[in-house]
Amino acid sequence: AKLHVLSCDHRLCANCAAEHIVKRRKPVKQSDYVCPVEGCGQQLQQADVKALLSEQEYETYLDSDLKELDSANFRRCPTGCGWGMLLEDALGTSAKKPARNGEVGIDNKPLSMEAIRHRDHYRFRCRRCPNTEFCAMCNTSPYHLGFTCEGYRAHKAKRKCRFCGSEVAGDSQLILKEDSKGNKKALHKVLHARCVDYIPKGASIQALLDLVQRTDELGSLCKQEECVKRAAEACTRVMECGHLCLGTRGESVCLGCLQCGVAEGQGADEFCNICWVAELREAPCVKLKCKHIFHKHCVEKQVKSKWVGARVTFGFLECPLCKQHMEAEAIQDITEEG
Ligand SMILES: [Zn+2]
Ligand SMILES: [Zn+2]
Ligand SMILES: [Zn+2]
Ligand SMILES: [Zn+2]
Ligand SMILES: [Zn+2]
Ligand SMILES: [Zn+2]
Ligand SMILES: [Zn+2]
Ligand SMILES: [Zn+2]
């Protein structure tokens, strides 16, 4: 049988050693994995454990006591399922696949060579929760396809259109220039451009800066006609939590915060149940009398064109979720016509 030499210089039959280490001693933490020779008991090195034990036993070892592991060299599944691996093992086993035809990153752009290399090295799938992909380098989940970790951080920091998510240049009148932070007039100008209609009289510079910060999303708007139109229809109020109202401009009662999820359980990143192609955050929304929330333009379209969506019903005036008659402050005139 194969001989294995441990760091304590004990030579062991690999099969017997494995048997002694795992079956006889029943180790629970990593310091329990020791040389099985009577009177030695020296703790095994990771490489020895890996060489001697089965893959499953090795995983048990890795899981057994993470505090003993050099955390800079260990990666855990970000869901907290408990699965983890040594980075060096991970790098050895990652599958190298060429870019699929038309494969694009999260920014919808084709993968660069650098991005392909990064993907091949650092994109991992948890073995316990196979739908979880993550970056073994920065632990971001899902994996930031199309970017290196560094590039992804820069991408996240960039301004993106609040409706379509495309990157926005920072030169519009909606955006405060760095050197205008102490200038009351400039602050007012930016806030007016953002249609913030509740600037308190005699507000201090700090109060104005706070408002600019809270409405920063309002300033992130691309120049596409569709997005500009949506911005003009969007509510400009900021909730107490500091998030933007995603409702319709001029509504007398706001939706409740869709980002904190307090608006009747419907969240900003859930699909609109009428169009099914866009998240609620992507256009101004209305809350019907039944309290369900949809894109305003989708409700209007459904009412106007008697379009009934994926399911065939004759209920074009019914809420697609609860079948109650569609009524809302912002679309009253339309439902009455209909
Ligand atoms: Zn020994
Ligand atoms: Zn997992
Ligand atoms: Zn990363
Ligand atoms: Zn846009
Ligand atoms: Zn509102
Ligand atoms: Zn909120
Ligand atoms: Zn919609
Ligand atoms: Zn409803």
Side-chain angles (χ1 to χ4, degrees), residues 288-294 319-324:
L288 303 183
K289 268 232 173 92
C290 60
K291 293 194 162 54
H292 287 122
I293 296 167
F294 307 95
C319 167
L321 286 170
C322 68
K323 304 293 163 221
Q324 290 187 49

Side-chain angles (χ1 to χ4, degrees), residues 217 241 243-246 256-263 266-268 281:
E217 285 175 70
C241 56
H243 287 127
L244 269 177
C245 173
L246 297 182
C257 183
L258 281 174
Q259 291 174 73
C260 293
V262 295
Q266 283 182 274
R281 70 164 82 245

